[in-house]
Amino acid sequence: MARIESSIDPRSGDFVQKARDYERLSSELDLNLDWALAGGGPKMVERHTKRGKILVRDRIDLLIDDGSAFLELSPLAGIGLYDNQVPAAGIVTGIGVIRGVTCMIIANDATVKGGSFFKETVRKHIRAQDIAEENRLPVVYLVDCGGANLNNLEDVFPDQEHFGGTFYRQCRMSASGIPQLAVVFGECTAGGAYIPALSDEFVMVEGNASIHLGGPQIVRAAISEVVDRNDLGGAQLHSCVSGVSDHMAPDELTAIARLRDMVGSLNYPQPFGGDIKPPRPPAYDIAEIPGIIGTDLSVPFDQREIIARLVDGSEFHEFKPLYGETLVCGFAHIEGFPVGIIANNGVLFSDSTLKGTHFIELCDQRGIPILFLQNTTGFMVGSEAERSGISKNSAKLVYAVSNTRVPRYTLVTGGSYGAGNYGMSGRGFRPRFMFMWPNARLGGMNPDVGASVLMDLRRASISKHPASEEELQEHERKLRAMFDEKSTPYYCTARLWDDGIIHPQDSRRVLALCLATGAMRPEQRAHRPVYRM
């Protein structure tokens, strides 16, 4: 396979300046990740540990196999919301290997508002379940949950994508043969009680764990019964009397070890499928990507330079290189896993959309997953574009993306605007995973175009709503600021429009983990749901 020949000079002034500019974005991302890792803050962490409880990410480190990776998803969910008081939306989700089995892990962070569920918490929980179902990953719940946040019930309770949707998915996955396992570390009340109750098998930690549909306060208010938490639903009661719990552990370390044994007894092989080859490093340094892309989205870069630093040996079999040149398509491997790559090198014209559609059909026929590298202002507009059939041809690309049977993965390397986001497998088209770089932007229009459109409308209404030129300039400034703010990667990731912001130099490792997850082919067997007795 031909190797991409890079034209980048890492010693050039332009490269060095872009790399320096990008350091600011990288430092900002690291600071924001520190915010997420800090949980509910020093006081809540101290109270948590004084109860003999282990912090949520330390629990995960103890649970997964030594030396294995944990791909945390959406760590910056909730950033900028609720006065930044709900780091990571109060829940940690991600993919890890337990006793050799790749699992989805969903873990409440009790240091953040007692592990209660906000709107973004529910979205993050559901997103993790959807990934697990699509990739047939066993789901492990580390439960330390106060149930739904009572101040936001309208955002978490009644709708199909709210709290009840998590239980629905749990039941459906169990019935389809995807194992559901849990450990209860702390309080598990109201709706939260259904997480372990709907699991196939679970363990409770003596002393701290409790399960009850209504906590002591609710019981007292509803039926005037006064009862403490342990007598109402502690580990001793549910393990020895009610039979709700399957195991009781004296401490968290024992509970985690028991959970590892539960995963080890699943009989759940996950063989890989596809043309998997021995992995090879790229011929060029992935750490050079910041110096290639910089921070100014108005300055184009060649996606081939990115591909050369992502794929094995920098080898890339490009498809139709002389046609539809604003879309780069071709075949490669990442850490040994085969992948078809579709990358924007500018606006999408009719010829590039037809090329992309053809390439998707090739990948679909050959069973090769597709990686989309987004950097586009969208589909071309104007009379000439319409005469060339852009509306019809862009629809073909959207149709192909929607109906391909192979896994799709999306990485936003620059801009992702308008219907170009759709045609390049944006979130609305349900890629298996979607990540953004710190320089990326995502929106219905780029800030310049969006502000210009609204300013034209404002100027057209001058007769009805008079304004001075100074007022119009201030209005335009606010419009641009609004569009810019709502297209930042942090605005997007806070609302779960992606699966996380990642450093460019981490992209190869992250994409390899995603491709490996999608390449697994668990055995399909006839199943029936587990009804707890």
Side-chain angles (χ1 to χ4, degrees):
M1 191 178 293
R3 193 179 87 171
I4 297 174
E5 295 299 328
S6 176
S7 61
I8 297 298
D9 179 7
R11 297 166 298 181
S12 70
D14 180 65
F15 180 95
V16 171
Q17 186 60 54
K18 284 182 176 179
R20 286 175 179 168
D21 292 342
Y22 208 93
E23 286 179 7
R24 175 181 55 82
L25 298 183
S26 297
S27 298
E28 181 183 16
L29 176 57
D30 288 337
L31 286 173
N32 287 326
L33 289 172
D34 287 343
W35 164 81
L37 295 173
K43 288 184 178 179
M44 297 306 297
V45 167
E46 182 181 6
R47 188 173 79 168
H48 185 85
T49 55
K50 278 186 176 180
R51 294 174 174 172
K53 301 171 76 173
I54 301 171
L55 295 175
V56 61
R57 289 178 177 83
D58 293 334
R59 288 170 179 166
I60 293 171
D61 286 342
L62 291 165
L63 178 62
I64 62 177
D65 294 349
D66 289 343
S68 65
F70 176 65
L71 177 59
E72 184 171 345
L73 303 171
S74 301
L76 297 178
I79 190 168
L81 306 175
Y82 311 107
D83 295 322
N84 273 343
Q85 296 301 304
V86 191
I91 192 169
V92 178
T93 64
I95 297 171
V97 179
I98 306 169
R99 292 285 295 270
V101 181
T102 301
C103 300
M104 173 61 72
I105 299 171
I106 301 176
N108 305 111
D109 186 353
T111 71
V112 179
K113 305 298 182 182
S116 58
F117 278 70
F118 291 74
K119 177 181 179 180
E120 291 71 27
T121 318
V122 175
R123 285 177 60 86
K124 189 169 175 178
H125 188 115
I126 283 178
R127 174 62 182 153
Q129 288 180 307
D130 287 346
I131 291 171
E133 183 172 17
E134 192 166 30
N135 294 281
R136 298 197 64 80
L137 302 178
V139 186
V140 172
Y141 302 89
L142 307 185
V143 189
D144 206 344
C145 165
N149 184 278
L150 298 182
N151 293 317
N152 301 92
L153 283 178
E154 71 278 7
D155 290 329
V156 299
F157 176 69
D159 206 352
Q160 65 180 17
E161 297 300 302
H162 287 171
F163 207 8
T166 69
F167 311 137
Y168 174 81
R169 285 166 169 80
Q170 200 170 339
C171 295
R172 298 282 293 183
M173 280 191 282
S174 179
S176 72
I178 301 174
Q180 308 288 299
L181 306 174
V183 174
V184 181
F185 291 102
E187 189 167 357
C188 191
T189 189
Y194 284 112
I195 299 174
L198 292 172
S199 295
D200 304 336
E201 188 178 0
F202 75 92
V203 57
M204 295 181 72
V205 178
E206 188 175 11
N208 280 329
S210 63
I211 297 174
H212 30 67
L213 291 183
Q217 298 91 339
I218 295 176
V219 170
R220 184 170 65 250
I223 63 174
S224 301
E225 179 184 356
V226 178
V227 61
D228 67 27
R229 191 167 63 91
N230 282 326
D231 290 339
L232 182 63
Q236 189 81 28
L237 171 80
H238 283 316
S239 300
C240 304
V241 180
S242 73
V244 169
S245 173
D246 303 303
H247 308 277
M248 182 172 66
D251 53 49
E252 292 199 7
L253 288 174
T254 306
I256 291 169
R258 187 69 52 83
L259 178 56
R260 283 180 52 81
D261 289 343
M262 287 157 54
V263 175
S265 66
L266 287 176
N267 185 30
Y268 201 79
Q270 297 169 312
F272 287 125
D275 179 27
I276 301 173
K277 300 181 181 296
R280 294 174 296 141
Y284 307 101
D285 190 354
I286 194 170
E288 293 175 350
I289 289 179
I292 296 170
I293 60 177
T295 60
D296 186 353
L297 293 187
S298 67
V299 178
F301 59 87
D302 188 349
Q303 291 274 30
R304 294 177 185 86
E305 298 288 357
I306 308 304
I307 296 168
R309 288 156 178 81
L310 291 178
V311 304
D312 292 5
S314 300
E315 293 177 357
F316 184 60
H317 173 56
E318 189 167 349
F319 175 72
K320 283 184 180 291
L322 302 179
Y323 178 79
E325 295 181 23
T326 60
L327 195 67
V328 177
C329 303
F331 299 100
H333 283 74
I334 296 178
E335 292 288 1
F337 292 96
V339 63
I341 298 175
I342 301 178
N344 300 119
N345 257 0
V347 68
L348 289 161
F349 292 92
S350 275
D351 56 358
S352 47
T353 60
L354 292 174
K355 172 180 171 179
T357 302
H358 186 170
F359 185 73
I360 289 171
E361 291 180 346
L362 285 179
C363 291
D364 193 66
Q365 182 192 61
R366 298 174 187 181
I368 298 175
I370 305 171
L371 168 63
F372 292 82
L373 301 179
Q374 293 190 354
N375 182 26
T376 184
T377 55
F379 293 106
M380 189 61 188
V381 297
S383 58
E384 183 177 346
E386 294 299 341
R387 283 194 297 271
S388 74
I390 188 66
S391 296
K392 174 183 65 176
N393 295 329
S394 63
K396 291 176 182 177
L397 180 61
V398 168
Y399 196 94
V401 170
S402 302
N403 289 287
T404 184
R405 296 163 294 181
V406 297
R408 289 176 283 108
Y409 308 89
T410 302
L411 177 61
V412 187
T413 64
S416 176
Y417 294 113
N421 170 272
Y422 296 162
M424 290 293 293
S425 188
R427 185 61 150 214
F429 288 76
R430 305 179 184 183
R432 294 283 180 104
F433 295 91
M434 176 174 166
F435 297 96
M436 300 179 73
W437 283 349
N439 62 300
R441 293 292 186 271
L442 189 156
M445 292 183 179
N446 73 46
D448 290 337
V449 174
S452 295
V453 169
L454 291 184
M455 279 305 298
D456 286 344
L457 294 174
R458 179 67 182 90
R459 291 180 186 280
S461 66
I462 285 289
S463 60
K464 294 182 180 179
H465 305 283
S468 67
E469 189 59 34
E470 290 76 13
E471 288 172 330
L472 289 174
Q473 289 177 0
E474 177 62 14
H475 183 63
E476 183 175 12
R477 185 193 66 77
K478 289 180 179 180
L479 285 175
R480 290 180 183 277
M482 180 269 291
F483 275 106
D484 188 61
E485 176 194 356
K486 292 187 177 182
S487 66
T488 67
Y490 295 104
Y491 191 93
C492 298
T493 204
R495 292 157 178 80
L496 280 296
W497 297 347
D498 63 13
D499 294 309
I501 305 171
I502 61 174
H503 289 293
Q505 53 267 39
D506 293 333
S507 299
R508 177 174 158 86
R509 179 172 57 88
V510 169
L511 291 171
L513 290 169
C514 296
L515 288 166
T517 299
M520 291 186 301
R521 301 287 188 271
E523 181 184 351
Q524 296 286 337
R525 294 172 282 188
H527 296 284
R528 56 176 297 175
V530 175
Y531 296 108
R532 299 188 59 81
M533 301 301 175

